[in-house]
């Protein structure tokens, strides 16, 4: 097992990456000094695969766990589902000394985290991510929240977990499309912060797609270490943490205008990252050969890299992006890469230039 520490003073915590962690969940929670009562938030798909094992582990450690099951899918990342959680927690008489366990992908982690941040003005949170995307990205860093029809993650909070347990065995049951979507966030870390990681992904992509255990463990741990370092430096996205949004402004906009039904998150930000790479080539000095390498790697990962929009869809996309959290003084700002492994935030991009690179025209 590998351990990566997120250094945030009194809110510091560890990310554990390894095999068989779910079976030891209850023991780990006891060692953290958490209470004897929790709520386990999951979704219908994960509950069927891993819910019983999680409840048994908690029960064997003397922890009583009520279970809240959300419908699977991005549409559950809503205020309506958060309200369902609040009412269930009230019915189970959870107290401030109780804690929340998020067992699932990014949607479950974000909703459960938002509920933990706000119910009784804050409860302890433990993240047990079950998708590749959640293990390398959304479970780490404390950003939690829900979507509105107008845009993604518009309602949320910063609420750091007490621990993150990335059990790589849980990825064995992950559908192929979900696994490939998670690779979009993995590739992102190479683009924004680690050119050597990017080169390793080019070399070892086939091993990753086969879920080769040693390769997967090393890559997940490296991605977590990069995010831990960025979050430790800038917890609330006042500066460097904004680079983690490479490709996300466009990606979130595409998710919003498709009503969170057409693309998985990783697929949308794959399109966004390839567009950001081409924008970086035009506006930030990224060499053309590196922009080509970025696009080629996403294609090899089986992810979409282009989208064609009708005039009305373009207008809706622009409106959705204007609601993005990175908008400043009414202007949409982008993260661009001047070189592989080096990204900066705050770049102004003309809308027509964005549409040109997004559609490959």
């Amino acid at each position: 097992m590998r351990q990566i520490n997120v250094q945030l003073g009194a809110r510091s915590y560890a990310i554990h990456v390894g095999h068989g962690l779910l079976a030891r969940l209850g023991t780990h929670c006891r060692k953290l000094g958490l209470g004897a009562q929790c709520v386990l938030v999951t979704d219908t798909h994960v509950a069927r695969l891993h819910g019983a094992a999680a409840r048994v582990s908690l029960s064997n450690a003397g922890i009583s766990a009520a279970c809240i099951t959300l419908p699977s899918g991005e549409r559950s990342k809503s205020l309506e589902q958060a309200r369902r959680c609040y009412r269930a927690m009230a019915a189970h008489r959870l107290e401030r000394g109780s804690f929340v366990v998020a067992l699932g992908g990014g949607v479950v982690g974000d909703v459960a985290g938002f509920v933990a941040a706000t119910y009784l003005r804050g409860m302890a949170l433990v993240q047990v991510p079950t998708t590749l995307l959640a293990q390398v990205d959304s479970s780490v860093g404390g950003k939690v929240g829900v979507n509105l029809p107008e845009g993604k993650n518009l309602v949320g909070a910063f609420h750091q977990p007490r621990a993150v347990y990335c059990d790589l065995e849980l990825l064995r049951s992950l559908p192929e499309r979900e696994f490939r979507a998670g690779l979009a966030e993995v590739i992102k870390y190479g683009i924004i912060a680690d050119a050597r990681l990017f080169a390793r992904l080019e070399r070892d992509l086939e091993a990753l797609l086969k879920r080769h255990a040693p390769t997967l463990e090393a890559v997940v741990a490296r991605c977590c270490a990069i995010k831990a370092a960025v979050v430790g430096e800038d917890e609330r996205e006042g500066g460097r943490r904004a680079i983690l949004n490479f490709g996300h402004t466009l990606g979130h906009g595409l998710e919003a205008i498709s009503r969170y039904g057409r693309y998985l998150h990783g697929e949308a930000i794959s399109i966004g990252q390839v567009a950001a790479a081409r924008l970086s080539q035009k506006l930030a000095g990224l060499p053309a050969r590196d922009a080509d390498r970025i696009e080629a790697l996403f294609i090899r990962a089986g992810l979409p890299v282009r989208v064609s929009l009708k005039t009305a869809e373009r207008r809706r996309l622009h409106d959705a992006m204007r609601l993005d959290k990175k908008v400043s003084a009414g202007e949409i700002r982008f993260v661009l890469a001047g070189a592989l492994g080096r990204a900066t935030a705050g770049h102004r991009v003309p809308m027509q230039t964005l549409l040109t690179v997004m559609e490959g025209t």
Side-chain angles (χ1 to χ4, degrees):
M1 182 179 71
R2 304 188 187 208
Q3 178 173 317
I4 301 99
N5 296 317
V6 183
Q7 301 291 351
L8 290 169
R11 294 181 308 285
S12 297
Y13 57 94
I15 307 162
H16 305 271
V17 180
H19 296 266
L21 300 181
L22 184 61
R24 304 195 297 274
L25 174 62
T27 301
H28 286 304
C29 289
R30 276 300 194 191
K31 288 181 179 178
L32 288 171
L34 299 175
Q37 186 181 25
C38 76
V39 60
L40 176 69
V41 182
T42 187
D43 67 29
T44 50
H45 178 68
V46 176
R48 185 174 68 254
L49 293 171
H50 308 299
R55 290 193 298 272
V56 167
S57 179
L58 291 163
S59 177
N60 287 344
I63 299 170
S64 172
C67 187
I68 300 173
T69 304
L70 309 177
S72 298
E74 185 74 25
R75 290 190 176 95
S76 283
K77 194 172 163 181
S78 66
L79 287 169
E80 178 185 358
Q81 293 301 325
R83 183 171 64 87
R84 278 191 59 230
C85 292
Y86 295 141
R87 298 197 66 181
M89 292 162 76
H92 286 290
R93 305 281 192 242
L94 264 71
E95 302 173 356
R96 187 171 288 176
S98 308
F99 63 100
V100 176
V101 176
L103 176 70
V107 170
V108 167
D110 281 0
V111 174
F114 180 68
V115 167
T118 49
Y119 190 72
L120 298 178
R121 296 190 174 90
M123 300 172 64
L125 170 68
V126 173
Q127 291 274 12
V128 188
T130 62
T131 67
L132 178 60
L133 190 148
Q135 289 190 0
V136 300
D137 190 70
S138 60
S139 66
V140 178
K143 288 173 74 172
V144 297
V146 297
N147 303 330
L148 298 179
E150 293 78 6
K152 188 158 180 170
N153 298 327
L154 293 182
V155 179
F158 287 94
H159 188 64
Q160 299 296 341
R162 292 290 301 275
V164 180
Y165 299 104
C166 300
D167 188 341
L168 301 175
E169 290 184 11
L170 304 184
L171 301 183
R172 293 178 181 175
S173 60
L174 194 64
E176 184 71 12
R177 183 185 176 193
E178 291 274 1
F179 187 85
R180 288 178 182 269
L183 287 173
E185 291 285 5
V186 172
I187 294 169
K188 178 193 77 176
Y189 287 109
I191 297 171
I192 66 171
D194 190 344
R196 292 179 62 186
L197 172 62
F198 188 89
R200 176 173 190 168
L201 296 174
E202 289 179 307
R203 184 190 72 220
D204 293 344
L205 182 63
E206 282 67 34
L208 276 176
L209 289 171
K210 292 177 182 176
R211 310 187 198 191
H212 179 249
T215 303
L216 191 57
E217 181 173 332
V219 168
V220 170
R222 179 59 188 145
C223 292
C224 288
I226 293 170
K227 184 157 190 183
V230 172
V231 171
E233 178 183 328
D234 177 21
E235 181 182 5
R236 292 179 173 262
E237 205 170 77
R240 185 167 182 252
R241 184 168 179 170
I243 68 170
L244 297 171
N245 293 307
F246 183 82
H248 284 55
T249 298
L250 173 57
H252 285 171
L254 290 172
E255 289 182 273
I257 68 170
S258 61
R259 294 181 172 85
Y260 309 106
R262 178 177 177 184
Y263 301 104
L264 297 178
H265 174 68
E267 294 167 343
I269 66 163
S270 174
I271 297 169
Q273 288 184 77
V274 171
R278 294 303 178 187
L279 290 172
S280 299
Q281 178 186 343
K282 287 178 175 290
L283 304 174
L286 180 71
R289 65 182 179 275
D290 289 336
D292 291 343
R293 288 171 65 193
I294 289 169
E295 182 168 346
L297 187 56
F298 281 107
I299 291 172
R300 286 177 58 202
L303 292 165
V305 297
R306 294 280 189 277
V307 65
S308 180
L309 299 177
K310 298 176 182 178
T311 300
E313 292 174 320
R314 290 181 173 190
R315 287 197 296 267
R316 289 171 53 214
L317 176 65
H318 185 255
D319 290 343
M321 290 193 299
R322 284 178 61 84
L323 286 170
D324 189 89
K325 300 182 297 301
K326 296 170 287 301
V327 168
S328 177
E331 290 189 328
I332 303 169
R333 305 297 178 95
F334 284 79
V335 179
L336 300 180
L340 276 174
R342 190 177 73 244
T344 54
H347 296 269
R348 297 181 179 90
V349 174
M351 187 63 181
Q352 188 55 50
T353 304
L354 171 62
L355 292 172
T356 298
V357 300
M358 179 181 69
E359 297 181 354
T361 56

